[in-house]
Amino acid sequence: IDLASEEGFYNYYNTPYIIWSNKSAKEILKNDFKGSGPTISPNYLMNEFFNLAEYKGNEFIKLTDDLKESLDVIHLQKRYKENDKLTSKVLQKTEKELFNYNKVQYYLKTNFKNNRKK
């Protein structure tokens, strides 16, 4: 495990995931949910399911889909996968997309966190 190398980074931080579906979901969605999925950050798991279910989602999901096209791996240690390469510095266009995504995420977290009825 050498975090300076791409292979070491993935060996250390990569976690397999599954998207499970029951028989009814497979029939309704006409998808057997078999096979391997892409290497993505956890923040994209809902997007991955929505894509399999052919559900567009709300505006935040659409924003996240747009970011996923540029960065499919985002790590807290400022490591990103852009253009199929692990990097610590993203392109200026992508940096703006990431900044906007973080702003919206912060807005949703701070303005809707305590609005649930108890």
Side-chain angles (χ1 to χ4, degrees):
I1 297 176
D2 173 17
L3 296 179
S5 74
E6 192 166 326
E7 180 182 13
F9 176 83
Y10 286 120
N11 285 340
Y12 192 78
Y13 289 112
N14 201 359
T15 304
Y17 63 91
I18 61 168
I19 296 177
W20 181 84
S21 66
N22 61 22
K23 183 180 177 184
S24 295
K26 290 176 185 179
E27 289 172 4
I28 291 168
L29 299 174
K30 296 175 180 54
N31 190 325
D32 63 5
F33 290 90
K34 291 183 180 178
S36 297
T39 299
I40 55 174
S41 290
N43 61 305
Y44 297 126
L45 286 173
M46 186 169 20
N47 297 68
E48 193 62 27
F49 171 74
F50 280 10
N51 289 335
L52 290 170
E54 296 181 0
Y55 179 67
K56 296 201 184 301
N58 63 19
E59 295 305 313
F60 182 70
I61 295 296
K62 293 173 188 171
L63 175 73
T64 308
D65 272 338
D66 291 343
L67 181 63
K68 185 177 170 228
E69 288 181 25
S70 302
L71 294 176
D72 43 0
V73 171
I74 301 171
H75 192 269
L76 291 175
Q77 302 295 326
K78 304 283 187 204
R79 300 291 298 266
Y80 311 95
K81 186 174 139 199
E82 183 176 39
N83 298 323
D84 291 324
K85 293 191 180 199
L86 199 60
T87 182
S88 45
K89 179 76 174 137
V90 296
L91 298 173
Q92 189 172 7
K93 173 189 168 275
T94 307
E95 191 173 326
K96 185 177 178 182
E97 287 180 52
L98 183 59
F99 179 77
N100 288 336
Y101 170 77
N102 286 328
K103 278 194 324 189
V104 171
Q105 194 175 37
Y106 176 80
Y107 174 80
L108 292 172
K109 183 178 179 182
T110 57
N111 289 289
F112 297 101
K113 178 180 176 184
N114 296 318
N115 286 347
R116 289 181 248 136
K117 292 183 180 182
K118 293 181 182 181

